[in-house]
Amino acid sequence: MATVNKNLSDYDKTTIPNASKFRFGIVVSEWNHTITEGLYKGAYDTLIAHGVLPNNIIRWDVPGSFELIYGSKKMQEQMVNAVIAIGSVIQGETKHFDFVCEAVSQGIKDLNVTRETPVIFCVLTDNNMQQAIERSGGKHGNKGTEAAVAAIKMAELRKNS
Ligand SMILES: Nc1c(NC[C@H](O)[C@H](O)[C@H](O)CO)[nH]c(=O)[nH]c1=O
Ligand SMILES: CC(=O)C(O)COP(=O)(O)O
């Protein structure tokens, strides 16, 4: 199902575990910062809505989505229950887009495969700015909200496994 058919901010609140005991790390890319700030707000507000204490949300900024890999790896070492990696990659004129998207998706996958702390992929990979706006608090909802819900669910899964 494409995002156009599913609002990213819609979820069944009754299925979300209580998150008041959890601590989360959020790593935010500065590239396309108006978009990544929208994603951060969606994630932060959702964590707070599910009982996470403000002091238990640690934010670090990194220059671009490529740096989310290293930032997330170091964040995994901060005694957090899950990490959310936030970025926005927008197609330009060259193949750079493909390399950044491939690196960040594989890099975050590798962190999930090789280490204990789940890292959630909150990276928009859009054809243009309009698509990014629509997915960071616009008409298709907010991928930051979706990511926070995933982070809570994965923190709970990790606790019980
Ligand atoms: N063009 C975008 C980038 N590019 C920057 C890289 O992510 C990286 O910071 C640089 O190559 C230095 O290592 N990053 C994004 O997040 N979004 C873009 O659209
Ligand atoms: C995602 C990118 O790499 C990017 O927006 C860079 O643009 P360009 O390919 O025109 O250099």
Side-chain angles (χ1 to χ4, degrees), residues 31 89-97 100:
W31 254 85
V89 197
I90 299 180
Q91 179 75 58
E93 294 177 354
T94 72
K95 292 181 183 163
H96 194 64
F97 176 87
V100 174

Side-chain angles (χ1 to χ4, degrees), residues 29 31-32 63-67 87-90 96 100:
S29 163
W31 254 85
N32 302 315
S65 290
F66 189 83
E67 286 73 37
S88 163
V89 197
I90 299 180
H96 194 64
V100 174

Side-chain angles (χ1 to χ4, degrees), residues 99-112:
F99 287 103
V100 174
C101 293
E102 173 76 8
V104 66
S105 56
Q106 292 298 320
I108 288 177
K109 179 268 290 175
D110 289 347
L111 294 178
N112 280 291

Side-chain angles (χ1 to χ4, degrees), residues 36-47:
T36 58
E37 288 305 325
L39 295 170
Y40 176 77
K41 181 172 170 22
Y44 181 91
D45 290 350
T46 304
L47 294 178

